Amino acid sequence: MNFALDALWWRLTNPQVRDLASILFAPPLWQTGCELPVRDLVGEHGFRYLIDLNDNPDFRLPEDCAHPLLGKYAENVLAFWLANAPHCRLLTRNVQLFNQQNQSIGELDFIAEIHGRLYHIELACKYFSATDGQPENMVGLNHSDTLLNKISKLNQQLNTHLPSEWQTAQRVSVVRGMAFSHSGSLQIGDVFAPNTWVGRLISDWEDDDFQEKYWYRLPKNGLLSPARVSGSLKMTAADVGNDDGLVAELALRPDGYWHEIQRFMLRK
């Protein structure tokens, strides 16, 4: 996926607004069958609102949006949108659910109104890789984190019995993230969305072609949107090193910044 070909990433310059845009516009990583359509999530005036946020030099997400865990940060970003976008109203989030024995059976992410319609929204934001690109072999940087387990867990969350006051809520998913394979392609079938973001999986920088390019090692909470960094932050392959993580290949664009054009997962 060549992120730089999408004009959206040329227009947005605020890093936090770029993260917000990724939650709103990025394609789903896998198909749940109950995706919240982008047109509903963004709404008729949502894109204009997003641009206004970007063009406000003083805009920052609220301080409590920050979180060391990427999944929680992504939840906070979506919560900001649901609470502030002109067509949305956030009613509640992170609600603990219990069975008849008062045992916790999980939590729901969001209850919100969009265009006046009640939704139960579950968010997932994950990064998985497999050498062959097959869904059953996909794991995260933490090898105990697997794609199939996450799909199963999300399905359970989407089918959780809701409290009576929200029984009429439509159950929908917002699934974001990327999948990586050695070839940079996936086995598209019943799991992956046809247009999902895809990167390459590598174990080292032995390829001579890598030595001639510039890179940026993505921080843990810098994965949501394509990188856009100043020249002082670009790296050589030697600078990046071989530690596990996500790395962006960079290209200089007319705005004077180095933009992500391809993403790699380094995993031994």
Side-chain angles (χ1 to χ4, degrees):
M1 172 67 185
N2 189 335
F3 299 106
L5 295 180
D6 191 330
L8 179 67
W9 309 116
W10 290 68
R11 178 64 178 84
L12 299 178
T13 56
N14 182 310
Q16 294 182 336
V17 176
R18 290 167 69 87
D19 287 348
L20 180 54
S22 291
I23 295 294
L24 298 177
F25 291 105
L29 176 55
W30 70 85
Q31 298 171 313
T32 65
C34 58
E35 288 81 12
L36 177 57
V38 170
R39 66 178 179 273
D40 294 335
L41 183 57
V42 176
E44 182 179 355
H45 304 291
F47 186 75
R48 180 67 260 171
Y49 175 61
L50 192 71
I51 295 298
D52 288 343
L53 293 179
N54 182 78
D55 293 349
N56 177 357
D58 298 322
F59 173 73
R60 299 290 185 276
L61 288 172
E63 289 186 7
D64 59 3
C65 282
H67 199 283
L69 298 178
L70 176 66
K72 290 298 183 182
Y73 171 61
E75 284 186 16
N76 292 342
V77 172
L78 180 55
F80 171 84
W81 181 260
L82 294 173
N84 292 278
H87 61 297
C88 298
R89 187 162 74 99
L90 178 61
L91 301 179
T92 190
R93 60 179 296 204
N94 300 136
V95 177
Q96 291 291 323
L97 300 174
F98 300 89
N99 61 19
Q100 292 181 344
Q101 289 72 44
N102 203 34
Q103 297 169 323
S104 176
I105 55 175
E107 66 177 28
L108 59 82
D109 286 345
F110 305 100
I111 296 292
E113 287 183 356
I114 302 177
H115 294 298
R117 186 171 186 175
L118 190 64
Y119 286 90
H120 163 208
I121 305 169
E122 289 294 328
L123 171 68
C125 187
K126 304 296 289 186
Y127 297 81
F128 293 111
S129 66
T131 300
D132 59 6
Q134 295 287 348
E136 63 269 21
N137 297 325
M138 285 277 168
V139 298
L141 288 170
N142 177 349
H143 289 202
S144 65
D145 187 16
T146 71
L147 171 64
L148 295 188
N149 283 346
K150 183 59 184 178
I151 290 174
S152 176
K153 181 179 178 180
L154 182 62
N155 288 340
Q156 291 175 3
Q157 292 170 317
L158 287 167
N159 289 288
T160 297
H161 180 74
L162 297 176
S164 57
E165 65 266 36
W166 301 320
Q167 283 293 312
T168 61
Q170 181 176 344
R171 302 163 189 261
V172 294
S173 65
V174 176
V175 178
R176 301 294 185 255
M178 290 186 72
F180 300 80
S181 71
H182 180 71
S183 66
S185 61
L186 298 176
Q187 184 65 42
I188 301 298
D190 296 331
V191 178
F192 294 115
N195 59 339
T196 194
W197 285 353
V198 185
R200 287 185 58 192
L201 173 65
I202 60 174
S203 59
D204 56 49
W205 297 108
E206 288 185 0
D207 190 328
D208 289 340
D209 185 47
F210 292 152
Q211 311 304 321
E212 301 174 359
K213 298 177 178 179
Y214 288 106
W215 309 90
Y216 175 65
R217 181 175 280 276
L218 295 158
K220 290 182 179 179
N221 276 357
L223 306 185
L224 293 183
S225 58
R228 175 184 180 271
V229 299
S230 65
S232 63
L233 295 177
K234 71 180 188 297
M235 302 175 175
T236 65
D239 295 330
V240 171
N242 286 315
D243 292 339
D244 289 359
L246 271 64
V247 182
E249 179 186 346
L250 302 177
L252 181 62
R253 295 305 182 195
D255 63 359
Y257 282 80
W258 291 78
H259 288 246
E260 177 176 341
I261 59 171
Q262 189 173 198
R263 188 172 291 191
F264 290 74
M265 179 180 281
L266 275 165
R267 198 190 74 196
K268 296 182 181 64

